[in-house]
Amino acid sequence: MPIVRTTLIRGYPEEVRVRLAERLTDAVAATIKAPLDAVTVAFDEVEATNYMRGRVPRTPGEALRPASDIVLQFLRLMEDRDLEAARRHLHPDFTMVFPGPSHGTALTKLEELVAFAAPRYRFVRKTIETVDESYRGTVTTVFVTGTLNGERPDGGPFEGARFIDRFEVEAERIRRQDVWNDLSLTLASTPESRG
Amino acid sequence: MPIVRTTLIRGYPEEVRVRLAERLTDAVAATIKAPLDAVTVAFDEVEATNYMRGRVPRTPGEALRPASDIVLQFLRLMEDRDLEAARRHLHPDFTMVFPGPSHGTALTKLEELVAFAAPRYRFVRKTIETVDESYRGTVTTVFVTGTLNGERPDGGPFEGARFIDRFEVEAERIRRQDVWNDLSLTLASTPESRG
Amino acid sequence: MPIVRTTLIRGYPEEVRVRLAERLTDAVAATIKAPLDAVTVAFDEVEATNYMRGRVPRTPGEALRPASDIVLQFLRLMEDRDLEAARRHLHPDFTMVFPGPSHGTALTKLEELVAFAAPRYRFVRKTIETVDESYRGTVTTVFVTGTLNGERPDGGPFEGARFIDRFEVEAERIRRQDVWNDLSLTLASTPESRG
Amino acid sequence: MPIVRTTLIRGYPEEVRVRLAERLTDAVAATIKAPLDAVTVAFDEVEATNYMRGRVPRTPGEALRPASDIVLQFLRLMEDRDLEAARRHLHPDFTMVFPGPSHGTALTKLEELVAFAAPRYRFVRKTIETVDESYRGTVTTVFVTGTLNGERPDGGPFEGARFIDRFEVEAERIRRQDVWNDLSLTLASTPESRG
Amino acid sequence: MPIVRTTLIRGYPEEVRVRLAERLTDAVAATIKAPLDAVTVAFDEVEATNYMRGRVPRTPGEALRPASDIVLQFLRLMEDRDLEAARRHLHPDFTMVFPGPSHGTALTKLEELVAFAAPRYRFVRKTIETVDESYRGTVTTVFVTGTLNGERPDGGPFEGARFIDRFEVEAERIRRQDVWNDLSLTLASTPESRG
Amino acid sequence: MPIVRTTLIRGYPEEVRVRLAERLTDAVAATIKAPLDAVTVAFDEVEATNYMRGRVPRTPGEALRPASDIVLQFLRLMEDRDLEAARRHLHPDFTMVFPGPSHGTALTKLEELVAFAAPRYRFVRKTIETVDESYRGTVTTVFVTGTLNGERPDGGPFEGARFIDRFEVEAERIRRQDVWNDLSLTLASTPESRG
């Protein structure tokens, strides 16, 4: 039943408007027990020349790049060990936490992660199953799940290790990454390549 | 800059309207690069007698109970091993996946989970750090992170085991739970109580 | 899909708002090929103190009495031959046209109608089947159909004579009545009471 | 005073929007005692890309062909005895009721009507005086009045026979036609061509 | 023709809403060549609980005291030589300019004005004829015209001296006052009381 | 916080819309104690074919020429003594009041003004400092301040004489002009060219 009318200054690309309309629909559908079909979202696009705030005409803001796009690109760059390009997506205060016995293993530099991974695997590839975004104020939290496969340090293969990554993204920069996975269980259960 | 006007039939409690306003704000803030202060959300409440769809007057729908409330209650009931009450929050097709070497350990009954846990710990308590909700259509995905502490089967304590749970909730029922944690790493690193 | 928002000064009774909402729905449903359920009508009631036209605060107008109410009351009063009360519903320029061989029988006074009816029946009662209203500008045309039964001048009964009356109503006054019926066919086919 | 704002997906032709605006005006003017000039109707046309219901972008529905157009075309085709073309405007459950002594003469096939007419006239032409539409939900009732002229079976002319037809139209198909007229009075009063 | 809809958080007193509605009407009427009666202004009052900006619920701001009220009170206090009370209406940077041969006589303290007036009149009273407000951004300029009467230094009366005062008011404080009048012409033409 | 939405028929030039938006902003800012930045003004431009009042489609009205433009042009024409062109800006009932000892000097014809000025100065030029417009209903009052310089009748120069003119403008015609200035003080204080 709810009808959501949003006034936008004209100029946002269609894909941004579709994304916004979906998200507004989702916000309503998550809150009100109504059939999805009863949720209507419409945009009133106002010409920039027809919009004034504080007695000053305004132009449309830019769209934010979807946080999940940024995260997926970061993950790809990390798989490829292109640390320099990956680093461009990071906030100056970036921290990451990887599996570890007590409160995990906190790292702040991508190089540390490379070192952390070395005894665990030669390389790893992610098969992604779900990507979810959660919004609160100016922070979007992105969750990526799937399975890892790759090569053990001794060259033996492994696969099917479940993982989930949690990313906090603000202003198109990743502030924090938390990683959980079944890698140790998987590696423990995989016969060493020659052992 | 965006102004979001939502027409609601009068009758939703204030906490529901605040929740909806926050979520609509979040949907905009995650999409448009605008200062949060430039996002305005307002509700036009229309008397039920002033709203007709399909030539039939309508009454306001119910609000959905927040999916994170349902999930947190479910987790509490499971900690307390009140399986019967916990089960009331589950969708008939409920499945859960716990850590395991390859693609995890899939379970469908809460009793199976109790059996799965028995060799791992006597009891476990969750210290919750983050709860995030992600909305898509009629499904809300809830992510809960924090640390586990409890007692090993031999009575020795453990703590600080990071966890994350991912829940899919639809129509106030949990359809799926996925669990990742550092429990095996933690237990492996904790000296057995008598060893 | 169409959403009809109407701004009204607060103060119209609920039955008037329901009537208006139905008529607005009907106007859309008659024009756009959409399922009736996709037509939403809502009223924004504005306090009289929040509405100004021409720099002058306004109060809500009165509702018009439904034209079909006026017509049905007029018909009842005519059946009862309460000409004086019936006349109060008539516009000064009232004309009526009853069946007749060429362009009907035009009358302007209710007394003429009584005289016109005298050789046809002693009394007549209407069984009403349909009442339809058609709106154009400030004129509502009302159509009433059904069957007539009553007593022939010789006292014999008749029944089942189909009729339709067309009324033009403006500003709560009947300006014109046009009558068609099968009365002559019915009377011709009914055996005279004694003869 | 009332202001009617209707949100439409952009794409309806101008004549449809004008028709809708007139009908919405009429709906208000028939309900509220306000000068016609105080009734404002405006359309907000929303780009199809700016409209989403149930999380799905929508395109504008089609306009309905005006019921009175359909009825007038049907009447013309019947005058011309083009039964096949006329039949295309009929709903499968079409019924019609013509004058008759008791509850009229019910017919369901156009051929029956031709047979019904044969002893009454060789041909008939309608001079149309009024056409009114009445809307309720998805049904439009159309009323057509005027006079009949034509040729008696014996070849003699007649004219000035008042008629009214009532049509129920739904989804661009005629479901029911009810006919009243002064034809029997007119024919009775017209000297036979050779008498 | 223009329709001005303003969304306000509920809570402004009626006199403030009337004042705002008049001023919005005036803004339109001064810009668009339309009969005043064609300008409609309406307020949508939104409950404070239904309004959120920047994800924070908001309460209605206060109304500004009309600048002309402040100015008229200031003028009254100055007539009564209640400098202390008058001074409360002044901005710290207050300046005033009174008649003088070249670019007027600039003063900054009310005491200076008293000294400036001493050789001109014993007291003066204003008969106010017009009060006009001009708005630009956060500054309202108030113009007061009328005539002065009073007593010459020698005790003789004078009257009918036209005056106009121009005041710049911001945030309820007078920043600047400019005075023009015919006082010197009037005094010159008035016979001294004892001459 | 206030959001002002104005429905306009499409067709007003951008400069008119900007002017209207500024004036609506000013009307709000002068009434509500809110930071200017919190005042949003937007226009919904409705196609002429999408706007109907009184069941009649409407076209946009013309814009009014700003009253201050008219006044400034009038002042320029008067400086140039182009009385014929100046007169075209005057309402038939035009009156003006110039400085004078008691209630000023009332004039109704521009020629009278020329005669009034002759003994005072050979010519005068205005240096304009402020132009303010005040709106009430269909009347705009314009205030122009600045200084006068020119030539005394004896050819000697003068300058720095403060002035203020008040104009009432309605329907693009000046109805009334009131003038105050320090000219007599200035002339009295300026040594005659040959004294």
Side-chain angles (χ1 to χ4, degrees):
Chain A
M1 230 127 13
I3 304 164
V4 181
R5 301 287 301 248
T6 299
T7 302
L8 292 176
I9 303 181
R10 192 183 297 281
Y12 290 101
E14 180 176 339
E15 57 149 13
V16 173
R17 285 178 279 124
V18 167
R19 195 184 308 141
L20 180 55
E22 288 172 352
R23 289 172 176 182
L24 290 169
T25 303
D26 292 344
V28 175
T31 313
I32 305 277
K33 202 180 280 180
L36 200 57
D37 259 22
V39 182
T40 302
V41 171
F43 295 133
D44 298 312
E45 285 188 288
V46 172
E47 302 293 336
T49 59
N50 282 339
Y51 190 95
M52 201 176 262
R53 194 162 58 86
R55 217 175 185 268
V56 178
R58 306 279 170 158
T59 49
E62 278 175 78
L64 278 169
R65 195 175 158 202
S68 53
D69 280 13
I70 293 166
V71 157
L72 293 175
Q73 189 174 7
F74 172 77
L75 289 177
R76 234 171 356 251
L77 292 166
M78 286 305 293
E79 276 187 8
D80 299 345
R81 288 295 185 250
D82 182 348
L83 302 194
E84 193 172 323
R87 202 175 287 120
R88 280 190 217 111
H89 294 298
L90 303 181
H91 189 274
D93 299 336
F94 175 70
T95 57
M96 51 190 160
V97 180
F98 277 73
S102 180
H103 296 92
T105 306
L107 309 171
T108 59
K109 295 205 163 58
L110 298 183
E111 290 76 6
E112 294 172 359
L113 172 57
V114 173
F116 171 82
R120 287 171 173 78
Y121 49 77
R122 282 197 189 164
F123 72 87
V124 74
R125 293 279 168 221
K126 287 182 145 98
T127 304
I128 288 172
E129 289 173 7
T130 64
V131 180
D132 296 295
E133 291 184 334
S134 174
Y135 317 119
R136 185 166 318 184
T138 55
V139 176
T140 296
T141 309
V142 180
F143 298 87
V144 181
T145 74
T147 54
L148 306 172
N149 67 293
E151 240 177 60
R152 302 162 54 111
D154 62 8
F158 66 88
E159 56 89 42
R162 292 159 64 252
F163 77 91
I164 183 167
D165 285 10
R166 179 185 187 277
F167 294 89
E168 293 180 9
V169 182
E170 183 161 21
E172 301 184 342
R173 287 290 172 277
I174 300 171
R175 274 192 344 197
R176 179 186 174 99
Q177 178 185 13
D178 290 274
V179 173
W180 293 258
N181 56 47
D182 293 349
L183 197 57
S184 64
L185 293 172
T186 305
L187 293 175
S189 77
T190 316
E192 291 191 31
S193 68
R194 234 181 340 164
Chain B
M1 231 124 15
I3 304 166
V4 181
R5 299 289 300 247
T6 299
T7 301
L8 292 176
I9 302 181
R10 192 183 297 280
Y12 290 101
E14 180 176 338
E15 58 150 11
V16 173
R17 287 177 278 124
V18 167
R19 197 184 307 142
L20 180 54
E22 288 173 351
R23 289 171 175 182
L24 291 168
T25 303
D26 291 345
V28 174
T31 313
I32 306 277
K33 201 181 281 180
L36 199 58
D37 258 22
V39 182
T40 302
V41 171
F43 295 131
D44 297 313
E45 285 187 290
V46 172
E47 303 292 337
T49 60
N50 282 340
Y51 190 95
M52 201 176 262
R53 193 161 59 86
R55 215 176 188 270
V56 178
R58 305 280 170 158
T59 48
E62 279 175 77
L64 279 170
R65 196 176 156 200
S68 53
D69 281 11
I70 294 166
V71 158
L72 292 176
Q73 189 174 9
F74 172 76
L75 290 177
R76 231 169 0 249
L77 292 167
M78 286 305 292
E79 276 187 7
D80 299 344
R81 287 297 185 249
D82 182 348
L83 301 194
E84 192 172 324
R87 201 176 287 119
R88 280 189 216 112
H89 294 298
L90 303 182
H91 189 274
D93 299 335
F94 175 70
T95 57
M96 50 191 160
V97 180
F98 277 74
S102 180
H103 296 92
T105 306
L107 309 170
T108 59
K109 294 205 163 60
L110 298 184
E111 290 75 7
E112 293 172 0
L113 172 56
V114 173
F116 172 82
R120 285 169 174 79
Y121 49 77
R122 281 197 190 166
F123 72 87
V124 73
R125 294 280 167 218
K126 287 182 145 96
T127 304
I128 289 172
E129 287 171 9
T130 65
V131 180
D132 296 295
E133 292 184 333
S134 174
Y135 317 119
R136 187 167 316 185
T138 54
V139 176
T140 297
T141 309
V142 180
F143 298 87
V144 182
T145 74
T147 55
L148 305 171
N149 66 294
E151 241 177 59
R152 305 161 52 111
D154 62 8
F158 67 88
E159 56 89 41
R162 291 161 64 251
F163 78 92
I164 183 167
D165 285 10
R166 179 186 187 275
F167 294 89
E168 292 181 8
V169 182
E170 183 162 20
E172 302 184 338
R173 289 289 172 279
I174 300 171
R175 274 191 346 195
R176 179 185 174 98
Q177 178 185 12
D178 291 272
V179 174
W180 293 259
N181 57 47
D182 293 350
L183 197 56
S184 63
L185 292 171
T186 304
L187 293 175
S189 77
T190 316
E192 290 193 30
S193 70
R194 239 176 340 157
Chain C
M1 230 124 17
I3 303 165
V4 181
R5 298 289 300 247
T6 299
T7 302
L8 290 177
I9 302 182
R10 192 182 296 282
Y12 290 101
E14 180 176 339
E15 58 149 12
V16 173
R17 286 177 280 125
V18 167
R19 197 184 308 142
L20 180 55
E22 288 173 353
R23 289 171 175 181
L24 291 168
T25 303
D26 292 344
V28 174
T31 313
I32 306 276
K33 202 181 279 180
L36 200 58
D37 258 22
V39 182
T40 301
V41 171
F43 295 132
D44 297 313
E45 286 187 289
V46 172
E47 303 292 336
T49 60
N50 282 340
Y51 190 95
M52 203 176 261
R53 194 161 59 85
R55 216 176 189 269
V56 178
R58 305 279 171 158
T59 48
E62 279 174 77
L64 278 170
R65 193 174 159 201
S68 53
D69 280 12
I70 293 166
V71 157
L72 292 176
Q73 189 173 10
F74 172 76
L75 289 177
R76 227 163 11 243
L77 292 167
M78 286 304 293
E79 275 187 7
D80 299 344
R81 288 296 185 250
D82 182 350
L83 302 195
E84 192 172 324
R87 201 176 287 119
R88 282 190 214 110
H89 293 298
L90 303 182
H91 189 274
D93 299 335
F94 175 70
T95 58
M96 51 191 159
V97 180
F98 276 74
S102 179
H103 296 94
T105 306
L107 309 171
T108 59
K109 295 207 163 57
L110 299 184
E111 290 76 6
E112 293 172 359
L113 172 56
V114 173
F116 172 81
R120 285 169 173 78
Y121 48 78
R122 280 196 190 165
F123 73 86
V124 74
R125 294 279 166 219
K126 285 181 145 99
T127 303
I128 288 172
E129 288 173 8
T130 65
V131 180
D132 296 295
E133 291 184 333
S134 174
Y135 316 118
R136 187 165 316 184
T138 54
V139 176
T140 296
T141 309
V142 180
F143 297 87
V144 181
T145 74
T147 54
L148 306 172
N149 67 294
E151 239 176 62
R152 304 161 54 110
D154 63 7
F158 66 87
E159 57 88 41
R162 291 160 65 251
F163 78 91
I164 183 167
D165 285 10
R166 179 187 188 275
F167 294 89
E168 292 180 8
V169 182
E170 184 161 20
E172 302 184 339
R173 289 289 173 278
I174 300 170
R175 271 191 347 194
R176 180 185 173 99
Q177 178 184 12
D178 291 273
V179 172
W180 292 259
N181 57 48
D182 293 350
L183 196 57
S184 64
L185 293 171
T186 304
L187 293 176
S189 76
T190 316
E192 291 192 28
S193 69
R194 228 176 351 154
Chain D
M1 231 126 13
I3 303 165
V4 182
R5 301 287 300 246
T6 299
T7 302
L8 292 176
I9 302 181
R10 193 182 296 282
Y12 290 101
E14 181 176 338
E15 57 149 12
V16 174
R17 286 178 278 124
V18 167
R19 197 185 307 143
L20 180 54
E22 288 173 352
R23 289 171 176 183
L24 290 168
T25 303
D26 291 344
V28 175
T31 313
I32 305 278
K33 201 181 281 181
L36 199 57
D37 258 23
V39 182
T40 301
V41 171
F43 295 132
D44 298 313
E45 284 187 290
V46 172
E47 302 292 336
T49 60
N50 281 340
Y51 189 96
M52 200 176 262
R53 194 161 58 85
R55 218 177 185 268
V56 178
R58 306 279 169 158
T59 49
E62 279 175 78
L64 278 171
R65 193 176 159 201
S68 53
D69 280 11
I70 293 166
V71 158
L72 293 176
Q73 189 174 10
F74 171 76
L75 289 177
R76 227 162 12 242
L77 292 166
M78 286 305 291
E79 276 187 7
D80 298 344
R81 288 296 185 250
D82 182 348
L83 301 195
E84 194 172 322
R87 201 176 287 120
R88 281 189 215 113
H89 293 298
L90 302 182
H91 188 274
D93 299 336
F94 175 71
T95 57
M96 49 190 160
V97 180
F98 276 73
S102 180
H103 296 92
T105 306
L107 308 171
T108 59
K109 295 205 164 58
L110 298 183
E111 290 76 6
E112 294 171 0
L113 172 56
V114 173
F116 172 82
R120 285 169 173 79
Y121 49 78
R122 281 197 188 165
F123 72 87
V124 74
R125 293 281 168 218
K126 287 181 144 99
T127 303
I128 288 172
E129 289 172 6
T130 65
V131 180
D132 296 294
E133 292 184 334
S134 173
Y135 317 118
R136 185 165 318 184
T138 55
V139 177
T140 296
T141 309
V142 180
F143 298 87
V144 181
T145 74
T147 54
L148 307 171
N149 66 295
E151 238 177 61
R152 302 161 54 111
D154 62 9
F158 66 88
E159 56 89 42
R162 291 160 65 252
F163 78 90
I164 183 167
D165 285 10
R166 179 185 186 277
F167 294 89
E168 292 181 9
V169 182
E170 184 160 21
E172 302 184 341
R173 288 290 173 278
I174 299 171
R175 274 191 346 195
R176 179 185 175 98
Q177 177 185 13
D178 290 274
V179 174
W180 293 258
N181 58 46
D182 294 349
L183 197 56
S184 64
L185 292 171
T186 305
L187 293 176
S189 77
T190 316
E192 290 192 29
S193 68
R194 227 176 354 150
Chain E
M1 229 123 19
I3 303 165
V4 181
R5 299 288 300 248
T6 299
T7 301
L8 292 177
I9 303 181
R10 192 182 297 281
Y12 290 102
E14 180 175 340
E15 58 150 12
V16 173
R17 287 177 278 123
V18 167
R19 197 184 308 142
L20 180 54
E22 288 173 352
R23 289 171 175 182
L24 291 168
T25 303
D26 292 344
V28 174
T31 313
I32 305 277
K33 201 181 280 180
L36 199 58
D37 258 22
V39 181
T40 301
V41 171
F43 294 132
D44 298 313
E45 285 187 290
V46 173
E47 302 292 337
T49 60
N50 282 340
Y51 190 95
M52 202 176 262
R53 194 161 58 86
R55 216 176 188 268
V56 178
R58 304 280 169 159
T59 48
E62 280 174 76
L64 278 170
R65 193 175 159 202
S68 53
D69 281 12
I70 293 166
V71 157
L72 292 176
Q73 188 173 10
F74 172 77
L75 289 177
R76 232 170 358 249
L77 292 167
M78 286 305 292
E79 275 188 8
D80 299 344
R81 288 296 186 249
D82 183 349
L83 302 194
E84 192 173 324
R87 201 175 287 119
R88 281 189 215 111
H89 294 298
L90 302 182
H91 189 274
D93 299 336
F94 175 71
T95 57
M96 50 191 162
V97 180
F98 277 73
S102 180
H103 296 93
T105 306
L107 309 171
T108 59
K109 295 205 164 59
L110 299 184
E111 289 76 7
E112 293 172 1
L113 172 56
V114 173
F116 172 82
R120 287 170 173 78
Y121 48 77
R122 280 195 189 167
F123 72 86
V124 73
R125 293 282 167 216
K126 286 180 145 101
T127 303
I128 289 172
E129 287 173 8
T130 65
V131 180
D132 296 294
E133 292 184 333
S134 173
Y135 317 118
R136 186 166 317 183
T138 55
V139 176
T140 296
T141 309
V142 181
F143 297 87
V144 181
T145 73
T147 54
L148 306 172
N149 67 292
E151 239 176 60
R152 304 161 54 111
D154 62 8
F158 66 88
E159 56 90 40
R162 290 160 65 251
F163 77 91
I164 183 167
D165 285 9
R166 180 186 187 275
F167 294 89
E168 292 181 8
V169 181
E170 184 161 20
E172 302 184 340
R173 287 289 172 280
I174 300 170
R175 273 190 347 194
R176 179 186 174 96
Q177 178 185 11
D178 291 272
V179 174
W180 293 258
N181 58 47
D182 293 349
L183 197 57
S184 63
L185 293 172
T186 304
L187 293 177
S189 76
T190 317
E192 291 192 30
S193 69
R194 227 175 354 149
Chain F
M1 232 127 13
I3 304 165
V4 182
R5 300 287 302 247
T6 299
T7 302
L8 291 176
I9 303 181
R10 193 182 296 281
Y12 290 101
E14 181 177 338
E15 57 150 12
V16 173
R17 286 178 279 124
V18 167
R19 195 185 308 143
L20 181 54
E22 289 173 352
R23 288 172 175 181
L24 291 167
T25 303
D26 292 344
V28 175
T31 313
I32 306 278
K33 202 181 280 182
L36 199 57
D37 258 23
V39 182
T40 302
V41 171
F43 295 133
D44 297 313
E45 285 188 290
V46 172
E47 302 292 336
T49 60
N50 282 340
Y51 190 95
M52 200 175 262
R53 194 161 58 85
R55 216 175 186 269
V56 178
R58 305 280 169 157
T59 48
E62 279 175 79
L64 278 171
R65 194 176 160 201
S68 53
D69 281 12
I70 293 166
V71 157
L72 293 177
Q73 190 173 9
F74 172 77
L75 289 177
R76 230 165 7 246
L77 291 166
M78 286 304 293
E79 276 187 7
D80 299 344
R81 288 294 185 250
D82 183 348
L83 302 194
E84 193 173 323
R87 201 175 286 120
R88 280 189 217 112
H89 293 299
L90 302 182
H91 189 275
D93 298 336
F94 174 71
T95 57
M96 49 191 161
V97 180
F98 276 73
S102 179
H103 296 93
T105 306
L107 309 170
T108 59
K109 294 205 164 60
L110 298 184
E111 289 77 6
E112 294 171 1
L113 171 57
V114 173
F116 172 82
R120 286 171 173 78
Y121 49 78
R122 282 196 190 166
F123 72 87
V124 74
R125 292 281 167 220
K126 287 183 145 97
T127 303
I128 288 172
E129 288 172 7
T130 65
V131 180
D132 296 294
E133 291 184 334
S134 173
Y135 316 118
R136 185 165 318 184
T138 54
V139 176
T140 297
T141 309
V142 181
F143 297 87
V144 182
T145 73
T147 54
L148 306 171
N149 66 295
E151 239 176 62
R152 302 161 53 111
D154 62 9
F158 66 89
E159 57 89 42
R162 291 159 65 250
F163 78 90
I164 183 167
D165 285 9
R166 179 185 187 274
F167 294 89
E168 292 181 9
V169 181
E170 184 162 20
E172 302 184 341
R173 287 291 172 277
I174 300 171
R175 274 193 343 197
R176 179 186 175 97
Q177 179 186 11
D178 291 274
V179 174
W180 293 258
N181 57 47
D182 294 349
L183 197 57
S184 64
L185 293 172
T186 305
L187 293 176
S189 75
T190 316
E192 289 192 32
S193 67
R194 234 177 343 155

